[in-house]
């Protein structure tokens, strides 16, 4: 990563890295496997030992995942972060594409809320044979 590092806390085990980043050990290993995080050096006893750069990279990944970015977008954003002299247009394009996806999902969720509100408001609470929720689920056009 290109960001300045805080004073080094020295190499640490995967367990300590997991605790520091809030990312589970299997997930850290997965990120290594798919190339988001470089494989760390190992001790003579074959234990992974991570540095501050690994922690910063994992923190970046965790934050991007919390914002809903997919792994391919994160890979591209990490690549851009690793090359600070490149123009940030690509990062903005990735963020704009993600914003459009989020906006679309919000629109779908709002339609879902309206449909569910209609179904539950029409429910009289009687028998299933007269249940408006069940009826609406059988008739897809009624919930759109």
């Amino acid at each position: 990563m290109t960001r300045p590092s805080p004073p080094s806390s020295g190499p640490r085990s995967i367990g300590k890295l997991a605790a520091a980043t809030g990312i589970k050990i299997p997930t850290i290993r997965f990120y290594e496997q798919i190339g988001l995080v470089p494989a760390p050096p190992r001790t003579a006893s074959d234990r992974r030992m991570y540095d501050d750069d690994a922690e910063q990279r994992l923190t970046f990944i965790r934050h991007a995942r919390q914002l809903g970015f997919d792994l391919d977008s994160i890979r591209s954003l990490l690549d851009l972060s690793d090359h600070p002299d490149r123009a940030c247009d690509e990062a903005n394009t990735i963020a704009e594409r993600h914003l459009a996806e989020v906006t679309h999902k919000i629109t779908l969720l709002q339609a879902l809320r309206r449909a569910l509100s209609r179904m539950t408001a029409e429910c009289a609470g009687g028998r299933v044979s007269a249940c408006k929720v069940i009826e609406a689920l059988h008739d897809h056009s009624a919930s759109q």
Side-chain angles (χ1 to χ4, degrees):
M1 300 284 300
T2 58
R3 297 193 183 262
S5 300
S8 177
S9 57
R12 67 202 71 111
S13 69
I14 195 168
K16 289 184 179 176
L17 182 68
T21 61
I23 298 175
K24 295 179 179 182
I25 291 172
T27 304
I28 294 171
R29 289 183 181 140
F30 171 71
Y31 289 157
E32 285 177 28
Q33 182 182 11
I34 65 170
L36 288 181
V37 177
R42 293 181 179 254
T43 65
S45 62
D46 207 33
R47 290 184 66 197
R48 294 171 169 94
M49 295 305 289
Y50 297 88
D51 59 13
D52 292 332
D53 287 342
E55 182 177 336
Q56 289 177 357
R57 195 167 185 92
L58 284 167
T59 300
F60 180 100
I61 293 167
R62 186 193 68 216
H63 188 213
R65 293 296 287 158
Q66 288 171 336
L67 292 173
F69 285 96
D70 62 37
L71 293 177
D72 287 336
S73 294
I74 293 170
R75 184 183 311 283
S76 296
L77 291 166
L78 284 168
D79 183 57
L80 288 167
S81 181
D82 290 340
H83 299 94
D85 294 334
R86 289 172 53 187
C88 76
D89 293 350
E90 188 178 342
N92 194 49
T93 299
I94 292 167
E96 286 175 343
R97 184 176 61 237
H98 185 56
L99 176 60
E101 291 168 3
V102 168
T103 301
H104 178 69
K105 287 178 184 177
I106 289 170
T107 301
L108 293 175
L109 286 170
Q110 288 171 334
L112 176 61
R113 180 179 56 199
R114 286 189 302 273
L116 289 170
S117 292
R118 250 190 330 270
M119 280 192 277
T120 57
E122 292 174 1
C123 182
R127 298 215 176 266
V128 171
S129 61
C131 179
K132 294 298 181 181
V133 173
I134 301 296
E135 182 182 316
L137 291 172
H138 277 290
D139 180 10
H140 182 68
S141 65
S143 63
Q144 294 180 341

